[in-house]
Every structure is written in structure tokens, then in C-alpha cells.
Amino acid sequence: MPSIFHFAFNVADLDAARRFYGEVLGCREGRSTDTWVDFDFFGHQISLHLGQPFATAATGHVGDKLVPMPHFGLILLLPEWKAMAERLQAAGTDFVLAPQVRFENQPGEQWTMFFRDPFGNPIEIKGFRDLAAVYAS
């Protein structure tokens, strides 16, 4: 079995978290208590705990864009990325960086989108035609 990561962070409302991570993003819910809930985040474990979300600022320079830091995210194959973009758009997501391609026709060409969960936690979803290109330089 490949390694999986675990990331725990704060949210202000577990029911709203269940709607966003479960219904909008399509993550399967795992264990939970009155103060936290786990989700299968596309093969990785995220644990959402009641509390104050971490502070972020648009300080990450990517090309000519500033993106929120810190952030976490996911890399998908392009067809799954496009389906995710459509689900997020249908849900009325307010994008920090709308779905787009960057580094077009260059090593590391990728599609990306940035958005925030209902609590302000920034998330980036990247799409690649081939996952072997993720570390291309």
C-alpha cells in the first residue's frame, strides 16, 4: 500500500464541513466525534476539528499570480480535475483563482483552481494529463 498523508485543521461548523467536503467535494466521511470528523480526501485522511481556522495571506508567487499561503490541495488526472471544476462551479464556489491552465506547453503544464472552504481554508486542486509530469522541470 502506498503511503497516505494525514492533515488535521480547524473548521467552525462540522455540519457545514460535512456538506462541503462530503457533498460538494465528494469525500467519504470516516470516524467522528462531537468535536471532529475525518474524511477520505481522495485516498488521504483529513481530520476537521472544531476551532479557529489558520490565518492565511496571498503571499505565494506562482507566475504572475498571488495565491493564499499556507494552503493544501490535491492533484488529479485531467478528466477528474475537469469534473471537480464543474462540481465546484455548479455549487456556486467563489474561486480565488478560477479554473485555468498554467505553464502551458512547458514542463509541468497543469490546470489549477484555488478556492476556500466555508471557513476560509484555502485549497488548490491541480490537474495533469499525466501524473509523471508533476515533478517535471
Side-chain angles (χ1 to χ4, degrees), residues 94-109:
D94 183 21
F95 289 94
V96 173
L97 188 61
Q100 60 189 268
V101 65
R102 66 178 169 199
F103 311 124
E104 193 167 16
N105 300 317
Q106 299 176 46
E109 177 181 270

Side-chain angles (χ1 to χ4, degrees), residues 111-126:
W111 286 256
T112 188
M113 58 184 142
F114 270 89
F115 53 92
R116 294 179 183 273
D117 74 7
F119 319 101
N121 296 307
I123 302 169
E124 178 183 21
I125 307 292
K126 295 181 181 184

Side-chain angles (χ1 to χ4, degrees), residues 16-39:
R18 284 181 167 101
R19 283 190 298 278
F20 182 76
Y21 286 92
E23 295 172 21
V24 176
L25 294 185
C27 299
R28 183 180 56 83
E29 186 173 331
R31 296 174 297 152
S32 66
T33 71
D34 292 343
T35 62
W36 58 266
V37 59
D38 285 346
F39 283 97

